[in-house]
Amino acid sequence: MSPVPSRLSDNGSVGSQPWWTGAACRETDLAVFFSPETERAHARARREARARRICEGCPVLLACREHALAAGEPYGIWGGLTELDRRHAARRRKMASRGRTARCLGPELARTPDGDRRG
């Protein structure tokens, strides 16, 4: 079962206020952003669409998204991204950082074992 926080955590800030104080979801039931254990696919799709609509116009969408990616938030919709979206984004970031590292090592080290170039 996905835990539903009672409020957003205080990680990071914008000016003197935590980033989440300006979040569009502050006055929303946070259960919209978290999947109940027995939720069926159609209900999940509707709930996620509702959550994404709330996130869509949020003034702190990017800060929320960055928090979720940096903290490795395992559950819920954060910054308009689902759990699966965040796993994909983390994988892309990891691959991108590997590609940059390989290019920095020089052409002789930026090849796969079979001789193909990386990146």
Side-chain angles (χ1 to χ4, degrees):
M1 178 176 186
S2 303
V4 178
S6 58
R7 68 178 195 82
L8 296 174
S9 61
D10 183 9
N11 290 337
S13 62
V14 177
S16 63
Q17 295 291 319
W19 63 264
W20 50 263
T21 59
C25 63
R26 291 280 295 162
E27 302 301 320
T28 305
D29 178 6
L30 292 182
V32 171
F33 298 90
F34 296 89
S35 177
E37 190 174 308
T38 59
E39 186 176 50
R40 296 192 180 266
H42 291 299
R44 183 181 188 111
R46 284 191 305 272
R47 182 188 49 73
E48 286 179 349
R50 181 174 174 217
R52 286 180 192 251
R53 282 192 303 275
I54 294 166
C55 293
E56 195 173 80
C58 183
V60 297
L61 178 121
L62 294 178
C64 181
R65 185 174 289 176
E66 282 304 314
H67 159 77
L69 292 170
E73 290 290 350
Y75 302 109
I77 307 274
W78 290 82
L81 299 179
T82 65
E83 298 153 7
L84 183 61
D85 295 334
R86 289 192 305 282
R87 283 195 298 271
H88 287 268
R91 189 174 299 123
R92 284 191 303 272
R93 283 182 170 193
K94 189 174 184 177
M95 290 173 68
S97 77
R98 284 181 180 168
R100 282 193 297 271
T101 301
R103 283 192 293 280
C104 292
L105 293 173
E108 65 282 355
L109 296 177
R111 295 185 183 275
T112 61
D114 60 357
D116 292 333
R117 289 191 52 84
R118 292 184 191 165

